[in-house]
Structures are given as C-alpha cells and as structure tokens.
Amino acid sequence: MNALNLEIINTVSPYQVTLRVDSPAVFCFYTDFGIEYEIVIKPNDIFIGSGAYVLDIINVWHKPSPGDPKFKQTLMAIVEEFFRQNNDVMLYVTETKDEKQASRNRLFVRWFNTNEHRDQYVIKTAEGKMDGQMNFMAIILRKDNPRLQQVFDEFDETVAFLFD
C-alpha cells in the first residue's frame, strides 16, 4: 500500500488525525465526545484472492458513540486518501461482538453513498450468516479499477463460500 498523506487528510478532516507511532497504517483521532478511534487499513488476501485491504474502525475504549457528522467526514477523508494513493480494493467487515453489526453496516453504506465523491467509487455489499451469526461486509473500488469485474466475481465467490 502506498503511504497516505496525513497533511491532505488533515486539510479535509474536522478532527486532527495522527499516525500511531508503531504502525504506519493506523490512523488515530479523538472526537469532540472524548472518544478515541483508530482507523486501520491492513492487507488481506483471504476475502479477495488477488489482494485487498481491510478497513477496521476501532472505538478504542468501546464508549457509546453519539451521531457525529465530524466522524463521518474524518473517516471519509482517510478512505478517499487511500483511494487517491492506491487504486486497490477496500473491504469493510462489521464488528460482531455486540450484535449491532446491521446498524453499523447501514450507517457505513449510507455514509459512503452520501459522500461528496461517491460517483468515483463502486460499493457492493453482502450479508449472511457465518457460524450462526449475521455478518455484513462491503467491498469498495474506484470505478476506473481495471480489475473491477474480476474483483466482484471473487467477492461473490468468497461470500457464497463463507456464508451458511
């Protein structure tokens, strides 16, 4: 993955984003509500055989998070910088530990579909049970990705294999 430019992220993001000292792919920020988030972009070739990056959104202290439009703007600034620097595949898989994965998925997809630059990307979602638990995932690519159809085919195959 090509490095993301923090300066560009911070010109767009309402929250000050920093890199975690021990990892160049962990973007950290605090909200106005005192919640610390880590946005992690890490390589993953399990879901897509030809390679992809997984987006993890981590509420570090697991504190309840109120609706916060600045959070959306900050997250989307990071995602857009990822796609500016890399014409790759991004996967988002909802966290399942607290049974709120359906809500998280709807919120993420809504954020993405209402984003200012949404016309530059394609997002495809999937949901299904894995080991009896509902899971939601989304795959995001730039529309000009030359592997678009291949990646969607791999995503569909993986989803069919993983979900019960």
Side-chain angles (χ1 to χ4, degrees), residues 62-84:
H62 309 289
K63 291 172 70 173
S65 178
D68 182 357
K70 289 182 179 180
F71 176 88
K72 172 198 170 191
Q73 293 171 312
T74 303
L75 174 64
M76 294 313 295
I78 295 167
V79 169
E80 287 190 358
E81 178 60 11
F82 169 82
F83 282 112
R84 259 191 298 280

Side-chain angles (χ1 to χ4, degrees), residues 2-162:
N2 295 325
L4 278 57
N5 186 325
L6 258 180
E7 193 173 307
I8 291 174
I9 291 170
N10 282 316
T11 60
V12 178
S13 171
Y15 291 130
Q16 181 68 32
V17 178
T18 60
L19 283 173
R20 199 166 77 190
V21 176
D22 61 338
S23 178
V26 180
F27 303 88
C28 308
F29 62 93
Y30 288 88
T31 69
D32 292 339
F33 302 97
I35 299 171
E36 180 182 5
Y37 281 97
E38 291 181 348
I39 308 299
V40 182
I41 301 173
K42 60 187 175 190
N44 186 303
D45 60 0
I46 294 171
F47 286 105
I48 303 297
S50 59
Y53 290 88
V54 175
L55 173 72
D56 284 335
I57 303 169
I58 301 167
N59 179 329
V60 175
W61 301 317
H62 309 289
K63 291 172 70 173
S65 178
D68 182 357
K70 289 182 179 180
F71 176 88
K72 172 198 170 191
Q73 293 171 312
T74 303
L75 174 64
M76 294 313 295
I78 295 167
V79 169
E80 287 190 358
E81 178 60 11
F82 169 82
F83 282 112
R84 259 191 298 280
Q85 299 296 334
N86 305 275
N87 193 5
D88 275 311
V89 179
M90 181 177 279
L91 292 164
Y92 171 69
V93 181
T94 58
E95 184 178 313
T96 59
K97 71 177 174 149
D98 61 2
E99 301 299 321
K100 294 182 182 178
Q101 55 268 38
S103 296
R104 281 189 190 92
N105 184 64
R106 278 191 305 273
L107 185 60
F108 180 79
V109 171
R110 182 170 18 130
W111 284 347
F112 203 86
N113 286 331
T114 59
N115 185 39
E116 178 182 355
H117 301 112
R118 67 186 170 276
D119 59 332
Q120 297 175 16
Y121 308 102
V122 179
I123 184 169
K124 184 173 186 173
T125 61
E127 61 183 73
K129 285 193 174 184
M130 213 173 357
D131 298 326
Q133 182 161 10
M134 279 303 291
N135 284 271
F136 299 84
M137 60 182 70
I139 188 167
I140 305 157
L141 294 92
R142 286 187 359 200
K143 284 184 177 179
D144 64 351
N145 188 309
R147 299 183 311 134
L148 186 78
Q149 191 56 53
Q150 173 193 352
V151 170
F152 279 162
D153 291 345
E154 289 179 27
F155 180 71
D156 289 341
E157 289 172 18
T158 302
V159 165
F161 175 76
L162 289 177

